[in-house]
Amino acid sequence: MNQQATAGNPLLQGTEPVKLRSRPWAATLILVGGLIALALGIAVSVSFGAAEIKLSVVWTAVFHFNPDITDHQIIRELRMPRVLGAALVGASFAVAGAIMQGMTRNPLADSGLMGINAGAGFALALCFAFFPNLPFMYLILYSFLGAGAGAGIVYGVGSIAKGGLTPARLVLSGAALSALLSALSEGVALYFQIGQDLAFWYAGGVAGTKWFQLKLMAPWVGAAILGAVVLSRSITMLSLGDDIAKGLGQRTNLVKLAGTLIVLVLAGSSVAVVGAVGFIGLIIPHLTRYLVGVDYRWIIPCSAVLGSLLAILADLTSRMINPPQEVPLGAIIALIGVPFFLYLARKERREL
Amino acid sequence: MQRQAVLSYESSRQKRGITVMVILGVMIVIAFIISVNTGYIRLTPLELLNTMFGRGTDKQELILFDFRLPRIVISVLIGAGLAVSGAVMQGVFRNDLADPGILGINAGAGLMVMLVVSFYEATSAAPVFLLPLAAFAGAGLTAALIYVLAYKRYQGISPVRLLLTGVAVAAGISAAMIVLTLRLDPDKYQFVATWLAGSIWGTSWKFVLSLLPWIVVLLPYVIYKARVMNVLNLGQQTATGLGADVGREQFKLLAAAVGLAAASVAVSGGIGFVGLVGPHLARRLVGPKHQLMLPVSALLGSLLVIVADTIGRWILQPSEIPTGIVVAVIGAPYFLYLLARTKS
């Protein structure tokens, strides 16, 4: 067991030699166990908050809703959308990260690091400034366009450079673009005096999630995750390298285009609901690969489940740290994500 | 013959350097005059002169001496400090993209400043001189942390790993700051929020005094070390061969760079990209020799911050845009452009 075994897969290069294989049993276990844990997590998260509500009350609020009971109202109107929002967003950021890491073979790919989130955020800042009463449907659309523009610039800068798009270059151009766009957004916010509306966006908050946002976002995210699962076999091939994928008869450009579109839909619609939350898309795919192996048919659904779990746990933590004030979700996840990123950057043995 | 050619080349470089410095000096003076005139109350150049020599009205004196002048002086000082700090980091790490903002040094200084501020009133006299010290401690600790995290046995520090580590540490510190700010009371929170955006908030002579010793001591020290930096630029082996104690010199220079960045950050908040843009433009104007490059960087940095600060005050009168935002709008595209040009 040495370099030979890991040479084929760049994602495993520089890590301990691992047998290249998938672990379907482990994956099935994660999917089943993860979904159970998710249901529990959602229940606990809904019952926990400024007003303690028993789990039994949560049960009746969901299945036998009675509008006259205050607790039922709290659960229905405030906590349910918030928790479900966290779950959806976690799943979509994680899947977006998994697709990007698979397609670009870049272990540091993540929508937050790559300027996609910042692009979406800036588009939203412009929307708030110029069309204050835009329907949410359009917000998602513009956010999606902004995500595309952000990704385009970061990719462009990285690709023009001699030596091509290295992981480090992607991170650095993403960091610079994020700095630029958040500065511009802040300028727009100051000028139009919409800082209040934008503040929770930038820190990434699920607190303001509303039912209608979820209703609009869920079909997009659902369709995109399904698309990702359909595409997963091709992504596995791409993760072995373009040449191998082409040799196996794949139309790589088509797969890349489809994958990129899915990423933009996932990141764009998530940012439109909770703002710029980074690092979920970085951590979860790595963890999932470690658990279930290298087959993206398993990685993508498992990433979705684990991403949801992480977001719900982080949301719960953000409410427990300093009640009644809330810590922005983005900050909590960054505190977990940064050490992980550092560990990856150290592991990386290739020319970055 | 050859020696002649080298000498004449050197002296033309020298001449060019002096020309560039004079032009920059003139530009800074022009920016200064415009900057003094920018704001809610206009002062004509004549009124300005009169006021300078003590023949203005009380109101004019108040505006000039208590508000605008200290702010402009601080702009000049932090611009020079940040630019030279960036120049030193780029030289020592031999990485064109190094800058105290990107490496997270500014964020570390900021975290410490925030902790001090949350114990005191931000504007009371006691902590003003403490702030640069606190910032220095924070920046030093952060620099040490980044160094340790980016260091690998048998490989040392790779420039790329250093940058990645810096970016990550900066992100982590910002997140920690957001978590901490929530525990502050509202007016302190407002202060920290403005601070994070890179607003020159220390606009009184007290702050000028607290910043001045750092700049006055460290800036000449770094320029005095210019020859050592030229040697370090040749790479570790060559420098050692030429008799430089590389490790020690690197440490001294970095400590000075951290000090410059920390003192600047203590009064101006998180202004990034000055340390990146200044040295780069300087190199393009006068070449890589540090004897010329460092003073030119300092002047360019000062000019950039004055201009950015003036734009920030002028564009949305009467409200202000934090200077850091204006600098980022100028600096970030430049960084992207550099990134597209450098070889990996």
Side-chain angles (χ1 to χ4, degrees):
Chain A
M1 289 307 290
N2 52 21
Q3 286 302 300
Q4 294 287 307
T6 58
N9 188 326
L11 289 166
L12 296 172
Q13 243 172 43
T15 55
E16 300 309 304
V18 184
K19 278 214 176 88
L20 278 184
R21 62 168 188 216
S22 83
R23 305 186 190 83
W25 287 111
T28 316
L29 193 70
I30 288 176
L31 282 179
V32 175
L35 286 171
I36 294 168
L38 202 59
L40 276 175
I42 289 175
V44 170
S45 189
V46 168
S47 74
F48 185 89
E52 275 303 334
I53 300 174
K54 287 200 190 73
L55 279 173
S56 57
V57 181
V58 174
W59 180 265
T60 51
V62 175
F63 295 100
H64 312 284
F65 180 59
N66 179 355
D68 301 336
I69 303 175
T70 327
D71 277 357
H72 282 208
Q73 288 280 15
I74 291 177
I75 288 170
R76 269 288 167 123
E77 293 311 316
L78 295 173
R79 290 190 192 167
M80 288 283 291
R82 166 189 192 133
V83 173
L84 291 175
L88 260 182
V89 163
S92 70
F93 277 131
V95 171
I99 295 175
M100 281 195 283
Q101 287 173 20
M103 283 194 332
T104 58
R105 306 167 68 212
N106 176 348
L108 299 178
D110 164 50
S111 63
L113 292 168
M114 284 174 55
I116 292 179
N117 293 0
F122 181 55
L124 288 163
L126 290 178
C127 286
F128 280 147
F130 293 107
F131 316 105
N133 301 319
L134 208 60
F136 189 72
M137 187 70 221
Y138 287 94
L139 281 184
I140 288 194
L141 205 68
Y142 285 118
S143 167
F144 163 73
L145 290 175
I153 292 171
V154 171
Y155 258 96
V157 167
S159 308
I160 291 168
K162 293 189 189 74
L165 201 66
T166 61
R169 211 173 249 142
L170 211 60
V171 171
L172 289 174
S173 56
L177 185 76
S178 302
L180 173 65
L181 291 176
S182 57
L184 284 172
S185 305
E186 211 157 334
V188 168
L190 280 165
Y191 186 77
F192 289 93
Q193 291 167 352
I194 47 170
Q196 289 273 307
D197 306 340
L198 275 180
F200 74 85
W201 272 72
Y202 264 106
V206 281
T209 313
K210 307 267 188 306
W211 278 117
F212 78 90
Q213 292 182 326
L214 287 181
K215 278 187 188 128
L216 276 171
M217 173 191 166
W220 289 83
V221 170
I225 290 179
L226 270 179
V229 171
V230 171
L231 207 64
S232 58
R233 226 177 123 252
S234 313
I235 294 175
T236 308
M237 279 193 219
L238 265 185
S239 73
L240 301 171
D242 277 22
D243 302 345
I244 293 177
K246 276 199 183 101
L248 290 168
Q250 193 192 83
R251 292 155 72 185
T252 47
N253 286 337
L254 194 69
V255 174
K256 280 183 180 169
L257 183 72
T260 308
L261 277 176
I262 290 172
V263 167
L264 293 180
V265 169
L266 288 171
S269 54
S270 301
V271 172
V273 174
V274 298
V277 177
F279 291 111
I280 296 185
L282 179 80
I283 307 170
I284 296 292
H286 279 278
L287 182 69
T288 316
R289 262 193 303 272
Y290 174 75
L291 292 170
V292 307
V294 296
D295 188 343
Y296 277 81
R297 280 174 303 184
W298 290 113
I299 292 174
I300 284 172
C302 291
S303 287
V305 171
L306 291 174
S308 296
L309 264 177
L310 175 66
I312 285 176
L313 287 178
D315 178 46
L316 207 71
T317 316
S318 78
R319 283 184 281 160
M320 280 159 66
I321 285 183
N322 195 19
Q325 281 184 310
E326 297 192 2
V327 179
L329 182 69
I332 300 280
I333 293 181
L335 288 179
I336 309 168
V338 166
F340 188 79
F341 176 93
L342 288 170
Y343 159 81
L344 284 177
R346 272 187 80 83
K347 274 270 184 217
E348 190 60 19
R349 211 179 289 173
R350 270 186 303 171
E351 178 57 38
L352 280 163
Chain B
M1 231 13 242
Q2 225 174 3
R3 194 176 152 73
Q4 282 274 300
V6 169
L7 279 176
S8 73
Y9 176 71
E10 278 292 306
S11 71
S12 77
R13 265 286 158 88
Q14 208 79 28
K15 272 198 197 115
R16 192 188 157 118
I18 287 164
T19 319
V20 167
M21 281 186 224
V22 169
I23 291 173
L24 282 173
V26 171
M27 283 168 88
I28 288 176
V29 171
I30 293 170
F32 166 83
I33 291 168
I34 294 172
S35 185
V36 167
N37 270 311
T38 304
Y40 189 63
I41 295 171
R42 306 287 304 263
L43 293 171
T44 63
L46 192 68
E47 284 172 342
L48 172 68
L49 273 177
N50 278 337
T51 317
M52 287 287 243
F53 294 108
R55 294 207 305 267
T57 61
D58 284 354
K59 196 165 146 193
Q60 284 171 345
E61 282 201 355
L62 180 77
I63 288 166
L64 182 66
F65 287 111
D66 288 7
F67 292 105
R68 291 194 193 155
L69 213 52
R71 183 163 177 157
I72 293 167
V73 171
I74 282 184
S75 299
V76 169
L77 293 177
I78 61 176
L82 288 169
V84 170
S85 175
V88 173
M89 287 179 189
Q90 286 167 23
V92 169
F93 293 130
R94 301 182 67 216
N95 184 333
D96 274 4
L97 299 173
D99 153 277
I102 291 165
L103 285 178
I105 309 275
N106 289 359
L111 184 62
M112 217 54 149
V113 167
M114 204 186 93
L115 288 175
V116 170
V117 167
S118 59
F119 281 112
Y120 289 97
E121 283 307 311
T123 44
S124 71
V128 169
F129 291 87
L130 257 179
L131 286 183
L133 283 174
F136 183 66
L141 284 172
T142 313
L145 177 73
I146 291 170
Y147 197 89
V148 168
L149 287 170
Y151 187 86
K152 266 175 126 172
R153 224 187 323 176
Y154 314 124
Q155 293 180 28
I157 293 266
S158 91
V160 169
R161 203 173 326 116
L162 184 86
L163 278 181
L164 284 180
T165 309
V167 169
V169 168
I173 290 176
S174 309
M177 268 172 128
I178 289 176
V179 174
L180 286 171
T181 45
L182 292 169
R183 296 183 168 269
L184 298 174
D185 54 72
D187 25 335
K188 278 182 182 168
Y189 175 80
Q190 196 52 47
F191 166 78
V192 171
T194 334
W195 193 97
L196 282 171
S199 191
I200 299 177
W201 57 275
T203 49
S204 70
W205 293 110
K206 276 189 317 208
F207 292 98
V208 175
L209 277 180
S210 73
L211 176 61
L212 208 56
W214 293 77
I215 305 284
V216 166
V217 171
L218 291 173
L219 211 60
Y221 172 75
V222 171
I223 293 175
Y224 158 75
K225 283 274 182 195
R227 293 180 56 193
V228 177
M229 287 180 63
N230 289 342
V231 173
L232 287 183
N233 248 5
L234 301 170
Q236 190 123 8
Q237 273 113 357
T238 319
T240 311
L242 288 168
D245 183 347
V246 174
R248 259 187 69 185
E249 296 294 354
Q250 279 183 338
F251 180 79
K252 281 191 216 159
L253 282 164
L254 275 184
V258 166
L260 284 169
S264 309
V265 166
V267 294
S268 71
I271 297 183
F273 295 110
V274 179
L276 184 90
V277 177
H280 267 274
L281 285 178
R283 256 182 240 119
R284 298 191 74 166
L285 287 170
V286 298
K289 267 187 71 178
H290 285 86
Q291 283 92 328
L292 292 172
M293 193 274 263
L294 289 171
V296 171
S297 300
L299 291 170
L300 278 166
S302 297
L303 186 63
L304 176 62
V305 176
I306 291 185
V307 170
D309 184 48
T310 311
I311 291 174
R313 273 187 294 153
W314 165 74
I315 214 163
L316 299 185
Q317 285 177 23
S319 63
E320 286 185 13
I321 292 187
T323 316
I325 290 182
V326 182
V327 175
V329 171
I330 304 169
Y334 191 73
F335 180 87
L336 288 170
Y337 157 79
L338 282 176
L339 198 63
R341 273 195 40 230
T342 50
K343 298 177 190 65
S344 56

